[in-house]
Amino acid sequence: MKLKQLKYIIEITNCGSINEAAKRLYVTQPTLSNAVKELETEIGIELFIRTPKGITLSRDGAEFLGYARQVVEQVGLLEQRYLNKKPSRQLCSISTQHYAFAVNAFVNLIKQSGADEYEFTLRETRTYEIIEDVKNLRSEIGIMYINPFNQRVIEKLLRENRLDFHPLFTAKPHIFISTQNPLAGREFVTLEDLEEYPYLSFEQGEFNSFYFSEEILSTVFHKKNIYVSDRATLFNLLIGLNGYTISTGIVSADLNGDHIISVPLKVDDRIQVGWISNHQIQLSKLANAYLNELKAVIQEYGLPLQE
């Protein structure tokens, strides 16, 4: 077993493709494939499951990757301490539903890292893809919510994929609307108040399901529906069309400007936001640092953390 092989496995996992990893590592695809096969033969396990759509880590591979990352990280520290080598590029990958506080924490992480070189990835993506990213270790952490409606389905999916859900906070439902919306001055709103306004939500692609919706009350009928794929578009439409969406109530003026506000939605429901991880591996230092930044941001918004 060679250190180079461990680095190969890590890069293939990050890329989700042997071809893409070979490009980043400046080696040929056959060289990389052969290195993986030699390692699999030596240790007697299959690290990757190969399908026509690409490769994913096997369960044994996920466990192996956790050890490989620790070894590569420790070697980097040894080289830096005793060989005066500059620190290796810092790597961190996070997948999240469309939450401004997750972006705020990511910004803070990068500012605090102090690294000369780094490769950080933040994926604002669909619910099913967050689970897939963490399952296949493309991301160390995924950020999503559960509530009484989707809890049984989401928790079953997490168990099947050996993922753990760690609560961060529980929020009461709010709507996001423009400051110019006629409902902006209300102390709270009801679903009846919203009937004539366009409802905006994040589309979930191939795995569209009420249980994967990023918004609670996904089975409620809306006369006017608009599906979007990113936060910027959603907020532009909130302003341009006097639309609304349902979320946690946390609005970031730094990221979204001063034209979007939250108003409590009077419904009997809750939103429990948390992070998921693959319980076969230990989180890296950067992943733990991100969680610390995330918790600090949440507390800045006045929400109590759940342990």
Side-chain angles (χ1 to χ4, degrees):
M1 188 184 305
K2 300 175 182 177
L3 181 64
K4 180 167 64 176
Q5 290 173 311
L6 303 185
K7 292 180 178 179
Y8 284 175
I9 299 301
I10 293 171
E11 191 62 39
I12 292 170
T13 305
N14 290 339
C15 295
S17 161
I18 288 182
N19 287 334
E20 184 60 33
K23 293 176 184 177
R24 293 195 182 190
L25 293 165
Y26 301 103
V27 299
T28 65
Q29 187 270 334
T31 297
L32 192 54
S33 295
N34 289 335
V36 173
K37 290 177 182 177
E38 288 174 4
L39 180 58
E40 288 179 321
T41 300
E42 180 183 354
I43 61 180
I45 62 174
E46 184 181 36
L47 295 171
F48 295 102
I49 299 172
R50 296 155 177 88
T51 70
K53 293 184 178 180
I55 62 171
T56 59
L57 278 170
S58 67
R59 289 188 174 181
D60 286 334
E63 182 180 18
F64 181 88
L65 180 67
Y67 288 110
R69 280 181 167 155
Q70 292 178 59
V71 170
V72 171
E73 187 176 79
Q74 292 300 315
V75 169
L77 291 173
L78 284 169
E79 291 177 342
Q80 182 184 346
R81 175 67 177 84
Y82 295 105
L83 300 180
N84 292 320
K85 287 193 174 183
K86 69 176 183 178
S88 59
R89 289 164 65 90
Q90 295 195 31
L91 303 175
C92 185
S93 183
I94 308 295
S95 293
T96 178
Q97 291 177 330
H98 297 78
Y99 294 130
F101 58 83
V103 179
N104 288 140
F106 196 76
V107 170
N108 293 344
L109 172 69
I110 294 175
K111 288 181 177 178
Q112 296 296 328
S113 71
D116 293 327
E117 295 184 15
Y118 55 75
E119 184 176 318
F120 290 175
T121 304
L122 179 65
R123 300 184 183 93
E124 282 195 327
T125 189
R126 300 160 178 163
T127 303
Y128 187 87
E129 292 169 359
I130 293 170
I131 295 171
E132 284 291 296
D133 283 349
V134 179
K135 179 187 77 172
N136 294 320
L137 300 176
R138 292 186 67 231
S139 292
E140 288 190 73
I141 292 170
I143 301 169
M144 55 188 294
Y145 86 92
I146 59 175
N147 77 327
F149 174 74
N150 72 5
Q151 186 169 1
R152 182 175 297 178
V153 171
I154 295 296
E155 288 184 345
K156 179 177 182 293
L157 189 58
L158 296 180
R159 283 195 304 271
E160 291 173 348
N161 290 290
R162 297 189 176 186
L163 305 179
D164 299 317
F165 181 87
H166 311 269
L168 284 167
F169 67 92
T170 298
K172 295 180 179 179
H174 287 66
I175 62 167
F176 288 169
I177 55 176
S178 161
T179 54
Q180 301 304 311
N181 189 296
L183 301 175
R186 297 284 191 92
E187 182 179 352
F188 63 84
V189 295
T190 65
L191 292 174
E192 290 74 21
D193 295 328
L194 299 167
E195 285 182 354
E196 299 303 320
Y197 294 90
Y199 172 64
L200 286 88
S201 60
F202 290 106
E203 58 93 15
Q204 296 297 316
E206 179 183 356
F207 295 96
N208 187 33
S209 163
F210 291 132
Y211 298 109
F212 292 151
S213 172
E214 291 191 41
E215 301 80 21
I216 65 167
L217 307 174
S218 56
T219 59
V220 172
F221 172 76
H222 302 279
K223 294 197 299 183
K224 304 172 184 178
N225 282 288
I226 301 174
Y227 296 98
V228 300
S229 60
D230 64 89
R231 275 189 305 115
T233 300
L234 183 141
F235 284 127
N236 285 336
L237 293 177
L238 291 185
I239 296 171
L241 296 176
N242 267 342
Y244 74 97
T245 192
I246 301 174
S247 191
T248 61
I250 300 179
V251 180
S252 172
D254 293 338
L255 296 177
N256 305 319
D258 298 321
H259 302 295
I260 302 295
I261 61 171
S262 65
V263 178
L265 176 61
K266 192 174 183 180
V267 292
D268 183 20
D269 209 334
R270 60 176 174 79
I271 304 171
Q272 186 179 52
V273 178
W275 58 280
I276 63 173
S277 61
N278 191 315
H279 69 219
Q280 293 176 285
I281 67 164
Q282 291 184 344
L283 294 181
S284 67
K285 289 183 178 180
L286 278 176
N288 280 306
Y290 176 75
L291 288 176
N292 289 335
E293 295 294 345
L294 187 62
K295 292 174 182 178
V297 168
I298 291 167
Q299 288 180 306
E300 287 175 5
Y301 284 105
L303 291 168
L305 291 173
Q306 292 178 252
E307 298 297 338

